[in-house]
Amino acid sequence: MKNDLTAKERMAIPRHDMPEQSPEIRKNNFEEVPLGYSEETAIKEAQRCLQCKKPKCVQGCPVNVYIPEFINKVAEGDFDAAQEILLDTNSLPAICGRVCPQETQCEELCILANKGEAVAVGRLERFVADTARLKAETSASQKTEITKPDPSARKIAIVGSGPSGLSCAADLLQAGYNVTLFEALHEAGGVLVYGIPEFRLPKSIVKSEIDALLAKGADMITNAVIGRLYTIDDLLGEEGFSAVFIGTGAGTPKFLNIPGENLIGVYSSNEFLTRVNLMKAYKSDARTPVIRGNHVAVFGAGNTAMDSARTALRIGADNVYIMYRRSRTEMPARIEEIHHAEQEGVKLDLLVNPLEFKGDDKGWLTSVICQRMELGEPDDSGRRRPIPIKGSEFETQIDVAVIAVGTSSNPLIRQTTPDLPMNKWGYIEADDDGITGKKGVFAGGDIVTGAATVIEAMGAGKQAAAAIIEYVREKN
Amino acid sequence: MPYKILEKKTLADNVVSLWVEAPQIAKKREAGQFIILRPNDKSERIPLTIAGVKKEVGAIRLIAQVVGDTTRELAALNEGDFIRDLAGPLGHPTPIKNYGTVACIGGGIGVAPMLPIAAAMKEAGNHVVTIVGARTKELLILEDELREASSEFIITTDDGSYGEKGFVTDVLKKRIANSAKIDFAAAIGPVPMMKAVAAVTKEAGIPTVASLNTIMIDGTGMCGGCRVTIGGEVKYTCVDGPEFDAHKVDFDELQNRLGTYREQENKEEHNCKLEGKV
Ligand SMILES: Cc1cc2nc3c(=O)[nH]c(=O)nc-3n(C[C@H](O)[C@H](O)[C@H](O)COP(=O)(O)OP(=O)(O)OC[C@H]3O[C@@H](n4cnc5c(N)ncnc54)[C@H](O)[C@@H]3O)c2cc1C
Ligand SMILES: Cc1cc2nc3c(=O)[nH]c(=O)nc-3n(C[C@H](O)[C@H](O)[C@H](O)COP(=O)(O)OP(=O)(O)OC[C@H]3O[C@@H](n4cnc5c(N)ncnc54)[C@H](O)[C@@H]3O)c2cc1C
Ligand code: SF4
Ligand code: SF4
Ligand code: FES
């Protein structure tokens, strides 16, 4: 198939929507909401790309995926070649195609974004990766053979198996090093497995992308809490690793610090989502319990808040409110996610600030007292500052509250690696190449930047891999 | 990576002792630390104290009381079987040093986590007075090993079927009243017991730590489910504890939060001995 339309013809094609499960049905199940492009739609959408000589979209992508090149292959119907091109820069395309905030990354800078609608880069990326995975799964002969790097090659340790660790591992394997990943939990994937819910990112997809990495010869040691089982110095010393990459994420939840926050029924979003996702509380045969509230309030307005609200609905809540201090324009979640949540019946209670949780005599949450806010002058972040309205306090009956107001740095490695420089918030200090103030130690992802995105964490992992390769070479 | 059960013994009705192959944990652990395990791939993650180690064979000892699904699944495993997941050592070690005289006060299944602490305190040169409580004689576990690990060993039972009749706090009060010197105390057991011990030692001005048995999931500081209030401040038991200044712990909140899933867990029939008194 030839991709030889004129620019005019390309621009005449409208952007293609992705079919989705209807809100009425999906709010009762954990299956994925968007259903993906068909081959035909994907090719049509790919034809919209103008194949720019200086593609702006690529600059918007933290790992600089060769966007026009892979889209060209889709338009030509050569999906295998498209996948090869994706994998050159992005080891987890099925995941990024689903969860990247494309509207503020690659698609924001697409030349068509201002003229009309950006090329659906993310949806195409997802299509290509899904097609490749299905093909690999159905061709039984293609049993993935595990290839091991040369055992005499240098050993590199990776702490944490979230997106940053995984992408760092991929590049180091590619360069021929022996890579061992140490993961504290029983399952690899970081936020991809414990945070982002099944209906947005099916865990089977995460697993197959990780399996593909393991097939290239990485060792994955789960249940390995670094700082306790081995310290960073153990890894660099006794355990014989030439360098260590730390990609432990920003996994410690923040609370509101208001009265009543330890009542039964008040969860951090991490706990709520972990119970349901990682521990599969939504399945009938899983043992981990979760309180299935009738009236649930979620505090915060990022992706985590949307995920928590939509999860609460799916495990049986009648009413789910998102309570947020500012207005809709300041909500940090992806527009698509806010839209999905509202379609499913999540109610947005905006310009509302919680003051106190109330409970019964047995310590169970019964209500939250909030006050209304109005927007004042912009603050340092450029967002208009919310100001309380006097006398506007009101009470809402709730039996579950989920606090999704962000995370801070996990203390484990900090406590046990005193000579690793951190900033005042406890995040590791590292430059753009992931180089830290401790020799042989590199870091990237949320543990350096604070909570960010999957693809930014992957970008940081790749940068660090390059720096590690250079460091190890110089050591020789 | 599954973890092999090398040896299994039943210590009392519904209490099992397991030696589990986990060489790196055995090498690293210190008294007071715990692990998180899942018996199989459907199980909950639950915390258990490392009750002992054999470094030569790379094994750790776990002592579990069957109170619900997960402990039941664990107790159903036999020698040669594998535990699916096991992560540790977690938490801060007990601050072991020579205080002089140390009182180790354990109740119910809490005597199991007390064993390594008493042993380490004695090794550090302390005069260790161990006081353990059980509801009745049959429920008393680890008697010989605790006696061995202590300088003095006192047993109490609620019903007087063995040792002194009464609670561990009765013995403790008596000793304090007889102006016996105690420089440091550690309490592990049911929440009401730890609360009572803390009240006694606070009045007597004895620095005391309590090892808190909150509900946990990850054990790495990621979920906040194990949060407790210590002197008005929120702390995470898994990464800041499990031991805290007993005089500052909000025990009532802890007791409430431990009941979070009682109704759900009790749907299938349960045997909640942990919840009872000493
Ligand atoms: C609910 C939720 C929804 C999100 N939605 C989106 C989205 O739609 N799009 C998007 O781009 N981003 C999203 N994000 C953000 C994104 O997931 C993160 O930015 C990204 O996962 C960070 O990757 P990371 O590799 O730095 O760390 P993480 O993904 O946090 O992984 C860190 C890993 O390290 C492990 N670890 C921690 N400490 C230790 C230790 N001491 N020893 C061994 N292992 C350790 C952890 O268990 C974890 O597995 C979301 C985040 C959340 C919480
Ligand atoms: C740091 C730490 C160390 C521990 N060490 C040991 C140990 O060495 N040996 C041992 O037997 N137990 C120990 N525990 C307690 C043990 O974790 C719980 O008994 C276990 O989680 C119960 O799981 P289950 O699924 O069998 O019971 P579930 O079905 O979860 O619970 C059954 C009943 O027990 C109650 N319960 C749940 N968790 C706890 C808890 N943590 N404490 C008290 N009651 C609870 C529930 O409310 C319910 O009524 C420790 C706990 C912590 C936090
Ligand atoms: S990885 Fe994310 S940002 Fe980069 S091209 Fe793909 S969807 Fe866009
Ligand atoms: S900027 Fe848009 S049109 Fe141009 S190459 Fe990138 S995706 Fe295609
Ligand atoms: S158990 Fe999750 S933070 Fe402690």
Side-chain angles (χ1 to χ4, degrees), chain A residues 21-189:
Chain A
Q21 279 196 70
S22 81
E24 280 316 306
I25 298 192
R26 73 184 190 233
K27 72 179 189 197
N28 296 313
N29 69 42
F30 271 82
E31 274 142 49
E32 202 178 2
V33 170
L35 302 170
Y37 278 160
S38 67
E39 227 170 77
E40 199 190 338
T41 317
I43 292 174
K44 278 232 173 96
E45 181 64 30
Q47 287 171 342
R48 297 183 59 230
C49 170
L50 300 177
Q51 296 293 316
C52 305
K53 288 279 155 320
K54 285 191 186 139
K56 297 264 283 288
C57 53
V58 177
Q59 296 162 24
C61 170
V63 299
N64 306 125
V65 164
Y66 305 134
I67 295 171
E69 289 84 349
F70 101 80
I71 293 184
N72 182 43
K73 289 295 167 196
V74 178
E76 289 178 356
D78 187 350
F79 308 134
D80 290 344
Q83 170 79 348
E84 285 303 311
I85 296 171
L86 280 177
L87 288 177
D88 272 343
T89 50
N90 182 345
S91 48
L92 311 169
I95 294 168
C96 295
R98 286 174 165 79
V99 303
C100 267
Q102 291 103 8
E103 65 278 9
T104 60
Q105 296 182 338
C106 51
E107 295 181 18
E108 182 177 38
L109 296 189
C110 170
I111 193 95
L112 295 175
N114 22 14
K115 298 217 172 88
E117 290 193 292
V119 173
V121 179
R123 293 171 184 174
L124 288 171
E125 188 167 322
R126 168 191 166 135
F127 166 80
V128 169
D130 284 1
T131 307
R133 189 179 61 257
L134 282 177
K135 191 169 165 189
E137 279 167 6
T138 44
S139 62
S141 60
Q142 241 195 352
K143 262 259 171 267
T144 30
E145 237 173 77
I146 297 191
T147 49
K148 280 267 171 194
D150 178 353
S152 66
R154 295 272 193 165
K155 286 171 40 180
I156 316 288
I158 303 215
V159 183
S161 65
S164 66
L166 291 173
S167 75
C168 186
D171 282 18
L172 290 170
L173 282 171
Q174 194 76 35
Y177 293 97
N178 282 295
V179 175
T180 305
L181 291 118
F182 294 92
E183 168 56 50
L185 295 174
H186 59 260
E187 217 169 296

Side-chain angles (χ1 to χ4, degrees), chain B residues 14 65-72 266 269-275:
Chain B
N14 277 328
Q65 179 174 38
V66 176
V67 294
D69 285 340
T70 321
T71 41
R72 188 175 314 121
N266 281 354
E269 208 189 313
H270 274 154
N271 168 356
C272 307
K273 291 204 176 111
L274 261 189
E275 294 294 293

